[in-house]
Amino acid sequence: MTTNPLVARIATGTAPLETLATLALEQHRVIPADRRAFLHLAQRTDATPEASEFFEFLAEGETMAGERLTAFAEACGVDEVRLRTYQPLPGCQAYPAYVAWLALNAEPTDVVAALTSNFAEWGGYCATIAAALRERYGFTEEACGFFDFFAEPSPELEPGATAAMQASKVNEGSVNTYSTLLRTYEASFWSTLSDLT
């Protein structure tokens, strides 16, 4: 069982639908922000094509995830008006804000290493949520597509990250700092949502 408080509630079907709606609304801000950050990182890695390709791959993935997010939001009762007027929660938006900081300030190869250290945990959360949405909330396959997408990362992900990190020296100290902050900000995302229940 996950130690993530909100994911644990979703797994048992005890998280309110309104909290799921807020999750969808926050992700509508996170996904395009991360996509732009990844594209910026891709542009900064001209000397390391492997890293550039990796970030372009991530940006494409964010585009595909965003296309699947709409069905989840609609299943939670989110309409266009609410989507347009929603005021995001600072605790949820700290993560994409930090990814944007990394895109501007960190060495791209270090960002590859920091991001990939957290992918397995994120994928596990998404797998748990996808199963619960079907079993506990009765969501359709389409409405679960956003979480299905992240639950099983593409087979190209790990080789792409490895190639990027091998093409340029990684600063382990920086990676450790970035990874720790990313995990902290992601925890803030989930705990902020959990506090709504």
Side-chain angles (χ1 to χ4, degrees):
M1 177 62 70
T2 177
T3 57
N4 180 310
L6 179 60
V7 174
R9 289 192 183 108
I10 295 172
T12 59
T14 57
L17 187 61
E18 178 59 22
T19 301
L20 295 178
T22 305
L23 170 58
L25 288 161
E26 292 293 337
Q27 284 294 340
H28 266 285
R29 299 292 185 105
V30 174
I31 294 296
D34 283 356
R35 178 181 177 275
R36 285 189 290 271
F38 296 150
L39 289 173
H40 185 74
L41 282 158
Q43 292 171 356
R44 290 183 56 210
T45 56
D46 290 341
T48 312
E50 294 87 351
S52 181
E53 290 173 8
F54 177 76
F55 286 118
E56 288 173 355
F57 176 78
L58 290 186
E60 181 181 348
E62 296 297 318
T63 298
M64 296 171 67
E67 291 169 352
R68 291 161 172 75
L69 183 56
T70 300
F72 171 61
E74 289 175 349
C76 296
V78 175
D79 60 19
E80 284 294 329
V81 173
R82 186 172 183 195
L83 187 61
R84 191 170 58 251
T85 59
Y86 178 73
Q87 294 296 311
L89 302 170
C92 289
Q93 294 304 312
Y95 180 91
Y98 187 61
V99 173
W101 185 94
L102 291 174
L104 292 171
N105 297 286
E107 286 298 320
T109 308
D110 293 345
V111 180
V112 173
L115 287 171
T116 53
S117 70
N118 193 43
F119 281 163
E121 187 172 42
W122 164 246
Y125 292 160
C126 289
T128 298
I129 293 171
L133 291 178
R134 291 179 171 91
E135 297 166 9
R136 305 291 187 179
Y137 295 87
F139 279 26
T140 65
E141 291 295 311
E142 185 181 14
C144 299
F146 175 80
F147 297 100
D148 288 337
F149 178 78
F150 287 115
E152 295 186 11
S154 166
E156 292 94 346
L157 185 67
E158 186 173 342
T162 300
M165 289 185 284
Q166 289 176 343
S168 180
K169 184 174 175 58
V170 172
N171 183 320
E172 293 295 341
S174 295
V175 171
N176 288 337
T177 299
Y178 301 157
S179 297
T180 298
L181 287 170
L182 283 169
R183 286 194 300 272
T184 301
Y185 292 135
E186 180 165 1
S188 172
F189 178 92
W190 293 108
S191 64
T192 298
L193 292 173
S194 183
D195 288 345
L196 299 175
T197 62

